[in-house]
Amino acid sequence: MRRLDQVLYYLRESPMLGAGTLLILLIALFGILGPVFVDTDLARPLSTTPRLPPSWEHPFGTDDAGRELLAVMVVGVPLTLRVGLLAGSVGLGLGIFLGFTSGYLGGTFDTIVRGVVDTLLTVPGLVVLISIASTIREEISVNIMAMVVASLAWMWPTRVIRAQVLTMRERAYVQMAKLNGMSDTEIIWKELFPNLLPYLAALFANAVNWAILSSIGLEALGLGPQNDPTVGMTIYWAITFSALIRGMWWWWAIPIVFIGLVFVALLMISAGLDELANPKQRKAV
Amino acid sequence: MNNQAREVMLDIQGLEVHFETRRGLARAVNDVDLQLYKGERFGLVGESGSGKTTMILALLRMIKTPGFIAGGRAVFDDGTDLLALSPEDVRKNRLRRVAMVPQGAMNSLNPVMRIGQQMALTMREHGEVGTGEEFEARVAKLLDQVGLVPEVADLYPHELSGGMKQRACIAQAISLSPRLILADEPTSALDVVVQRQIMQTLRQLQLQLGATVLLVGHDMGLMAQFAERVGIMYGGKLVEVGSVADVFRNPQHPYTQLLISSIPSFERRGTFQGIPGVGLSLLDSPSGCLFHPRCPQATERCAHVEPGLTQLGPGRQVSCLLYEKEETHAAPS
Amino acid sequence: MPPLLDASHVRKVYRGGGGLLGAQTTETVAVDDFTLAIDGDTPSFTTIAGESGSGKTTIARMLLGVQPPTSGTVRYRGIDIGQMDKEQMRAFRQDVQAIFQDPFEVYNPFYKIDHILTTPIEKFGLAKSPQQAAEQIDVALRTVGLRPDETLGRYPHQLSGGQRQRITIARALLLKPKLIIADEPVSMVDASLRATILANLHKLYTDFGISFIYITHDLTTAYQVSEKIVVLYHGTVAEAGGVEQVIKDPKHPYTRELIRSIPVPDPGSAWIEEAVEERDVEVPDAELQGCRYAPRCVHAEERCTRVPPLYRLDDGRVASCVLYDKHEALADGDLTQIIGAPQQKD
């Protein structure tokens, strides 16, 4: 059980990491256990009396269309998290593959990848996402939303992983691995990859964070799934129905609080992991 | 060298430097007593972890956390205790009384400043005043003393070779005519011929200034050629001190004996005698004498009793139970 | 029968400078025309000695196939190592192994030290079962004086430099190579452990018949373990021959000055007083014409503007200096005859 010990050790070493993990777990629990306590049907329009401010009966109030906002959050938060996880995973997965292979093998492949990444990274991501999202004719589901976001999420991981690999490639233990008869693929996955694990975990947290924010951005502009009460869509409806002017603060404030919590949690996780991954921080033995 | 006639310049008593680590306390310098004479060349020898570099950092008050000076005094002949100086006085002290020639020039030379500029700046920072021309003249003289042409003052460090950089470091170190020069393996990165030239220069300077040089290193050959007296450190303790001739021909401490016989030389081929056992871990050190697990002459007592200091003569000391009579052994501090 | 490993007129040139603004490119010749063959049947122990910038590490890397030469070939049993297929590469890697300078960097910090021992067994199919592998590892560790119960299962940072270096020697042993190229194996190890490690290496030569190419800047250790020596200076061979001859009676001005400058642990010699016999001149490599040592050499003369070949002296050694131009030049600059035949007792 050495790996579990290691994980617990990391959590203890970095309070930020511990706090962030705890927070995100609580938020996830909110979404997972929520349906046990709250009737999720109430997240649909015309479920209850509309425009009610928060009260004991409706802790988060209700919106203009009669959706019970607590139910909306219970349904919406997991959806948003799912977009983040999906997009983050695809983005990181692709980034790992491209970053490792182009960094280690070099050559033409590397030149192409590097060129593409460097160029595309200069384009404002949201603009690209908006262009992609608005050209999709059919109904945007949560999963399609995730894929749209993932289309850009791989670039930053590719670049930073490649940079790390470039330095690691020259290390003596890589030379040793070559002399031991290991093939390039084996070297990448058995020698280089394990050493980057904390760093990759931090990248993952970042990717998920970015994906969530991007998806919320798209949704708030109305380019999201119209029939799913995601956090971003709730904000969209709140904007469309002028909740701000009409004084229905609970309609837009509650989603923003949730977004803020998720953002902070993921930020703390990635900063904590960064701390651990940074060799200077790591205490010499 | 008649040690009896020499005056003590620096009297180090009971120096202790500890490091607080997560796994415990490490006594990097362990109750060191040493007297340095005026104008002598003293070599401090030890392997990695012996505490030799830590010791000079302590004298310069450059120990960084988690290390700290846990005790002891280092008293100059004028009564100043280096270890008791306030941080402000430490600054004033540096370069005037005590200067360091570091191992790598990168630790001492600013890469973005010309040599002459930084030497002048260093002097100013340590309280020297004067006009630009006056400093230029002083820099030129210092460069000359270390065997560099005055044009070097206009160059940047990266334009100099390794040997020249090290000479520039030495010039900087002697700029305020210090009484004690601490040199931490100044030639370890240099080629052998260049090393010889640098050490010869250092010796000339030392004789000119009448300064004391404490050379830290692990190259026994270099010590034998450069130093007059030598001190051997092991695991933070100073185990033997004596004139170079004495220590090399007649080593008293078992560690010194093994160390000297393990030095490869051009005298014999093919015979190899290392020191048995595993190196010392400061966090898990043996009881009693630190060397006893590896010592071929260890007795039962050595595992329980820490050896104190035995004076074998002026300037000659050893720290080993073999030389202590049971009754006269002082309790470990 | 082709030699085990041979370098034929190997040359390595680095091009530096240039860059975005098209500044001048400089050419540094790291190794200039080096030829040496190692026999597969008779073990030999050869030192390639030199100071920084001499090219010794570059030669080691080219011999190991880690770096391709700019011109010339390195061949393993007659096959150009730049053109080998997988099978041949495997055989090459098994016959020619390496020990590196830094006993820490060669370990992947993520794994226990066992990784460095189990990987070659696995990759080269040295054992038919885990038990056999464990046995082989056990034997190898004991041969270098380590106790398996004290070393296996530990992480690199939990062991001392000396132990780590010995483990790399044990690793090299597992493959039962014919040749080990050791690049400064003791320079980062404490003085007290050096002798032990050198003893290990020497034992592999005398008891196991493994040939060695020992790369170092420390001539005293070379004198301890080695039979033959090649002294490099700025990419060229200054002198080569038996270790007794070259070190006790150096002929090339550079070798002479080098040996004179080594501080011996004998207090009272004139080392600190005697003047260094060299001119204090530094000429960048790119501008050197002719003998590389000429700018610093006290015997330099007009003839030194042409690169001197290796002249073969009466006692069998070679030196590349015009002082000896009355002698015959070494055919093809091939050091093999000087280094090879150990039946020449010196």
Side-chain angles (χ1 to χ4, degrees):
Chain A
M1 269 278 94
R2 224 207 159 259
R3 294 296 173 211
L4 181 62
D5 289 338
Q6 239 179 7
V7 170
L8 291 174
Y9 164 79
Y10 280 140
L11 288 177
R12 251 178 300 141
E13 272 297 294
S14 173
M16 256 209 292
L17 176 61
T21 318
L22 191 61
L23 188 51
I24 204 78
L25 281 174
L26 286 174
I27 296 173
L29 269 175
F30 171 78
I32 297 170
L33 293 180
V36 174
F37 301 99
V38 175
D39 182 5
T40 51
D41 281 340
L42 296 178
R44 296 218 197 94
L46 302 175
S47 325
T48 63
T49 332
R51 293 177 285 273
L52 291 176
S55 63
W56 205 235
E57 223 186 291
H58 302 288
F60 287 172
T62 63
D63 74 355
D64 213 38
R67 295 187 188 91
E68 213 275 343
L69 281 175
L70 177 57
V72 167
M73 287 295 107
V74 164
V75 176
V77 166
L79 285 177
T80 304
L81 286 180
R82 195 170 100 202
V83 170
L85 279 173
L86 209 52
S89 309
V90 170
L92 188 69
L94 207 53
I96 287 176
F97 175 72
L98 289 174
F100 272 101
T101 42
S102 71
Y104 187 74
L105 298 173
T108 344
F109 181 62
D110 178 39
T111 322
I112 296 175
V113 169
R114 192 173 19 133
V116 169
V117 168
D118 283 350
T119 322
L120 286 184
L121 273 176
T122 59
V123 180
L126 204 55
V127 172
V128 176
L129 288 177
I130 293 173
S131 328
I132 298 177
S134 47
T135 51
I136 295 181
R137 293 294 150 90
E138 65 245 333
E139 164 85 29
I140 296 185
S141 72
V142 171
N143 291 335
I144 294 185
M145 169 111 287
M147 288 304 115
V148 169
V149 173
S151 67
L152 287 188
W154 61 272
M155 291 197 293
W156 180 250
T158 304
R159 172 188 259 194
V160 293
I161 290 175
R162 179 183 168 275
Q164 288 285 321
V165 170
L166 283 180
T167 50
M168 287 167 72
R169 185 172 73 168
E170 302 304 318
R171 305 292 289 275
Y173 60 81
V174 172
Q175 301 243 5
M176 185 54 86
K178 286 196 200 149
L179 288 184
N180 268 340
M182 286 176 106
S183 69
D184 285 335
T185 325
E186 285 180 301
I187 292 179
I188 291 178
W189 302 114
K190 289 200 193 152
E191 301 285 330
L192 299 179
F193 183 76
N195 278 311
L196 278 185
L197 280 175
Y199 188 71
L200 293 174
L203 274 183
F204 182 63
N206 269 333
V208 170
N209 219 357
W210 182 86
I212 289 178
L213 290 177
S214 303
S215 70
I216 289 174
L218 283 180
E219 290 168 355
L221 292 170
L223 292 168
Q226 301 279 328
N227 291 326
D228 291 299
T230 64
V231 179
M233 286 315 292
T234 309
I235 293 183
Y236 171 68
W237 295 125
I239 296 175
T240 313
F241 287 96
S242 315
L244 191 62
I245 307 172
R246 291 162 64 191
M248 289 170 72
W249 56 269
W250 56 94
W251 198 356
W252 51 266
I254 308 266
I256 287 183
V257 165
F258 270 94
I259 295 170
L261 287 175
V262 169
F263 176 74
V264 166
L266 288 173
L267 194 64
M268 287 185 1
I269 290 178
S270 90
L273 283 169
D274 234 358
E275 218 173 52
L276 291 172
N278 188 339
K280 288 204 196 82
Q281 278 352 38
R282 220 185 274 138
K283 308 224 171 20
V285 218
Chain B
M1 278 291 134
N2 184 357
N3 287 328
Q4 273 159 331
R6 308 196 76 165
E7 299 168 52
V8 173
M9 193 210 63
L10 183 67
D11 189 1
I12 302 172
Q13 297 159 10
L15 181 57
E16 293 267 355
V17 180
H18 297 175
F19 278 77
E20 276 279 5
T21 71
R22 261 178 312 149
R23 301 193 300 167
L25 189 73
R27 286 172 83 179
V29 176
N30 189 337
D31 196 21
V32 168
D33 287 333
L34 175 65
Q35 294 180 322
L36 294 177
Y37 298 128
K38 275 202 186 122
E40 84 165 317
R41 289 187 302 279
F42 189 93
L44 194 57
V45 179
E47 301 178 282
S48 53
S50 59
K52 57 192 195 300
T53 306
T54 313
M55 198 159 116
I56 59 175
L57 288 178
L59 294 175
L60 287 163
R61 302 287 293 277
M62 280 167 63
I63 302 278
K64 296 195 171 75
T65 47
F68 61 96
I69 297 178
R73 292 158 29 102
V75 187
F76 257 89
D77 54 1
D78 63 6
T80 333
D81 179 1
L82 287 181
L83 303 181
L85 291 173
S86 69
E88 217 197 275
D89 288 334
V90 167
R91 276 204 110 247
K92 287 196 217 147
N93 205 46
R94 244 181 237 151
L95 277 201
R96 280 187 195 285
R97 272 219 187 83
V98 189
M100 166 137 131
V101 180
Q103 186 165 29
M106 3 314 177
N107 296 346
S108 181
L109 294 178
N110 186 334
V112 297
M113 258 181 149
R114 293 177 207 272
I115 301 286
Q117 259 182 310
Q118 43 183 302
M119 283 177 65
L121 182 63
T122 310
M123 287 194 267
R124 280 209 178 91
E125 279 177 348
H126 286 84
E128 293 290 290
V129 289
T131 64
E133 287 81 38
E134 282 169 352
F135 273 112
E136 254 184 62
R138 286 176 75 168
V139 165
K141 176 152 184 282
L142 286 167
L143 291 176
D144 181 54
Q145 277 182 291
V146 296
L148 291 172
V149 292
E151 284 76 34
V152 168
D154 294 325
L155 296 178
Y156 287 95
H158 67 261
E159 296 179 282
L160 304 177
S161 72
M164 292 166 82
K165 273 197 286 235
Q166 203 60 321
R167 285 180 202 266
C169 285
I170 295 176
Q172 190 151 288
I174 62 163
S175 51
L176 297 180
S177 302
R179 305 195 55 211
L180 175 63
I181 301 174
L182 303 172
D184 184 10
E185 308 206 46
T187 54
S188 62
L190 302 174
D191 286 345
V192 148
V193 180
V194 178
Q195 169 176 266
R196 190 179 182 197
Q197 290 169 324
I198 303 270
M199 294 313 289
Q200 287 181 343
T201 305
L202 192 55
R203 177 172 171 269
Q204 275 164 14
L205 284 174
Q206 179 254 341
L207 291 171
Q208 270 171 28
L209 292 172
T212 305
V213 171
L214 178 57
L215 176 69
V216 169
H218 59 267
D219 183 346
M220 295 293 272
L222 191 60
M223 293 298 165
Q225 296 307 316
F226 178 81
E228 296 167 285
R229 278 200 310 155
V230 72
I232 317 280
M233 283 190 80
Y234 182 79
K237 288 200 89 74
L238 188 59
V239 299
E240 186 163 355
V241 176
S243 74
V244 138
D246 231 359
V247 173
F248 273 78
R249 299 207 180 111
N250 213 3
Q252 299 295 305
H253 195 284
Y255 174 65
T256 320
Q257 290 165 353
L258 287 172
L259 198 60
I260 296 201
S261 64
S262 79
I263 308 172
S265 76
F266 291 142
E267 301 305 307
R268 27 159 235 267
R269 278 180 72 195
T271 49
F272 314 99
Q273 279 169 282
I275 300 185
V278 188
L280 184 67
S281 159
L282 287 175
L283 291 169
D284 192 14
S285 46
S287 56
C289 171
L290 292 175
F291 188 60
H292 87 261
R294 304 168 76 183
C295 181
Q297 299 172 54
T299 66
E300 174 61 37
R301 242 180 106 216
C302 300
H304 307 294
V305 181
E306 256 189 66
L309 198 63
T310 311
Q311 286 289 132
L312 298 173
R316 186 94 172 87
Q317 64 198 53
V318 71
S319 177
C320 177
L321 292 179
L322 286 174
Y323 303 94
E324 288 180 24
K325 304 199 179 20
E326 300 240 2
E327 320 87 55
T328 59
H329 173 70
S333 40
Chain C
M1 181 71 196
L4 178 70
L5 187 66
D6 81 282
S8 180
H9 297 288
V10 156
R11 215 172 116 89
K12 185 70 184 174
V13 182
Y14 288 110
R15 279 184 185 78
L20 273 181
L21 300 177
Q24 261 177 323
T25 52
T26 50
E27 259 190 23
T28 321
V29 180
V31 177
D32 189 14
D33 197 1
F34 184 78
T35 307
L36 176 67
I38 303 288
D39 181 45
D41 298 314
T42 338
S44 58
F45 205 118
T46 311
T47 296
I48 296 183
E51 309 202 280
S52 51
S54 59
K56 58 190 193 298
T57 302
T58 314
I59 290 181
R61 292 166 67 100
M62 289 193 289
L63 288 175
L64 282 170
V66 169
Q67 196 157 56
T70 313
S71 66
T73 38
V74 178
R75 281 182 293 244
Y76 165 68
R77 297 198 194 275
I79 315 163
D80 185 342
I81 61 179
Q83 321 242 345
M84 290 198 283
D85 62 36
K86 264 184 83 174
E87 265 314 300
Q88 293 164 330
M89 192 45 113
R90 167 154 306 173
F92 171 55
R93 291 267 172 255
Q94 210 170 341
D95 267 347
V96 177
Q97 269 300 321
I99 293 170
F100 295 111
Q101 181 176 22
D102 189 332
F104 188 65
E105 286 285 309
V106 289
Y107 290 90
N108 188 333
F110 184 76
Y111 293 111
K112 302 187 178 132
I113 59 102
D114 310 41
H115 178 71
I116 213 177
L117 295 164
T118 51
T119 311
I121 293 182
E122 190 197 305
K123 294 269 94 197
F124 289 93
L126 301 174
K128 296 183 184 52
S129 67
Q131 287 94 316
Q132 213 183 19
E135 258 172 51
Q136 289 179 355
I137 290 177
D138 200 82
V139 168
L141 286 172
R142 285 187 200 281
T143 312
V144 296
L146 287 173
R147 290 180 42 185
D149 57 335
E150 276 174 8
T151 41
L152 291 174
R154 303 256 177 121
Y155 283 90
H157 65 260
Q158 295 174 307
L159 298 171
S160 75
Q163 285 173 304
R164 289 194 294 257
Q165 195 63 311
R166 280 194 266 180
I167 294 172
T168 63
I169 300 176
R171 175 206 156 269
L173 252 190
L174 282 173
L175 290 150
K176 298 196 174 34
K178 291 250 162 38
L179 171 67
I180 292 181
I181 299 180
D183 186 359
E184 305 257 28
V186 292
S187 59
M188 285 179 78
V189 172
D190 272 337
S192 59
L193 293 167
R194 268 183 211 180
T196 318
I197 292 185
L198 287 176
N200 282 149
L201 294 180
H202 197 75
K203 183 160 93 162
L204 299 190
Y205 166 62
T206 51
D207 293 2
F208 290 76
I210 299 178
S211 292
F212 273 85
I213 292 183
Y214 176 65
I215 314 271
T216 187
H217 66 276
D218 184 348
L219 290 178
T220 40
T221 55
Y223 185 72
Q224 301 301 303
V225 286
S226 180
E227 302 286 338
K228 309 286 175 144
I229 183 167
V230 176
V231 178
L232 295 177
Y233 181 76
H234 281 244
T236 55
V237 176
E239 192 163 351
V243 112
E244 277 290 348
Q245 302 168 313
V246 174
I247 292 190
K248 286 306 179 65
D249 185 22
K251 296 293 188 195
H252 191 290
Y254 170 64
T255 326
R256 272 213 204 116
E257 197 51 37
L258 189 61
I259 299 204
R260 276 184 73 220
S261 301
I262 298 175
V264 284
D266 176 31
S269 85
W271 187 86
I272 196 92
E273 269 138 26
E274 258 174 15
V276 171
E277 271 178 27
E278 259 192 12
R279 301 190 302 180
D280 205 359
V281 179
E282 287 199 26
V283 179
D285 265 358
E287 293 168 23
L288 286 170
Q289 309 263 16
C291 174
R292 303 276 164 109
Y293 187 60
R296 285 162 64 178
C297 184
V298 293
H299 303 285
E301 45 166 280
E302 198 273 314
R303 290 181 291 165
C304 302
T305 50
R306 283 181 304 282
V307 180
L310 285 164
Y311 291 111
R312 191 152 187 176
L313 274 52
D314 295 330
D315 54 8
R317 79 171 91 188
V318 290
S320 68
C321 179
V322 294
L323 289 174
Y324 306 104
D325 66 353
K326 297 282 179 293
H327 300 258
E328 233 185 79
L330 185 62
D332 214 24
D334 188 351
L335 294 167
T336 314
Q337 310 155 56
I338 310 300
I339 295 314
Q343 53 262 34
Q344 263 172 333
K345 275 294 167 205
D346 34 54

